[in-house]
Amino acid sequence: MNEAELILFAAKIWCGIGALVAVVFLTFGIDRIDEDADGAYVFRPLLVPGVLLIWPMVLWRWYILADGKDEWSHRYRPKRHNHVWFALLMPVAIVIIIGAAFSVRQTWPGDIAPEPLSAPAEVSE
């Protein structure tokens, strides 16, 4: 089994598990954690692609919300004590990155002629 087959196999397994989670969650689970979704069936197919890809997060949030372990006050008041440092660091990082880009910019000799690309040769079997 080469790398491409292994990646394709892993993607099939991931999406297969995601499909099972999507069926169970969108049939039974969403009504239990969101009272606004009770009886609303039209929007559920729109959630299937997202659940296929992020099914571990869906299971984790379903577990947290169903058990009542969610601390809703922290969702609306996130911790922002590091934002000041990032606000100071980002402009400095941008200036350093742009300065490094200008300092390592390569200049090519002007006497190199461009070579036209040709179509690939046909392979006869």
Side-chain angles (χ1 to χ4, degrees):
M1 179 179 281
N2 61 13
E3 292 175 4
E5 290 174 344
L6 183 64
I7 292 171
L8 186 61
F9 180 71
K12 286 180 182 179
I13 296 295
W14 184 271
C15 288
I17 295 171
L20 290 173
V21 169
V23 167
V24 173
F25 176 70
L26 296 176
T27 305
F28 304 111
I30 198 165
D31 293 333
R32 295 182 181 163
I33 64 169
D34 187 7
E35 61 273 356
D36 293 332
D38 189 24
Y41 299 105
V42 176
F43 83 99
R44 292 179 188 199
L46 299 173
L47 300 176
V48 171
V51 175
L52 283 176
L53 295 178
I54 61 168
W55 61 266
M57 188 180 303
V58 170
L59 287 176
W60 177 70
R61 289 298 295 166
W62 185 9
Y63 172 73
I64 294 294
L65 292 173
D67 283 351
K69 296 179 181 178
D70 185 37
E71 297 179 17
W72 61 270
S73 62
H74 292 288
R75 276 189 281 156
Y76 300 109
R77 207 167 6 107
K79 298 176 183 174
R80 294 190 176 117
H81 59 275
N82 288 331
H83 285 204
V84 173
W85 293 107
F86 285 110
L88 295 174
L89 181 66
M90 288 305 290
V92 172
I94 290 171
V95 168
I96 291 172
I97 290 169
I98 291 174
F102 283 138
S103 68
V104 297
R105 182 174 53 183
Q106 296 178 351
T107 57
W108 293 94
D111 58 347
I112 295 178
E115 294 182 19
L117 297 176
S118 60
E122 292 185 20
V123 177
S124 61
E125 293 181 24

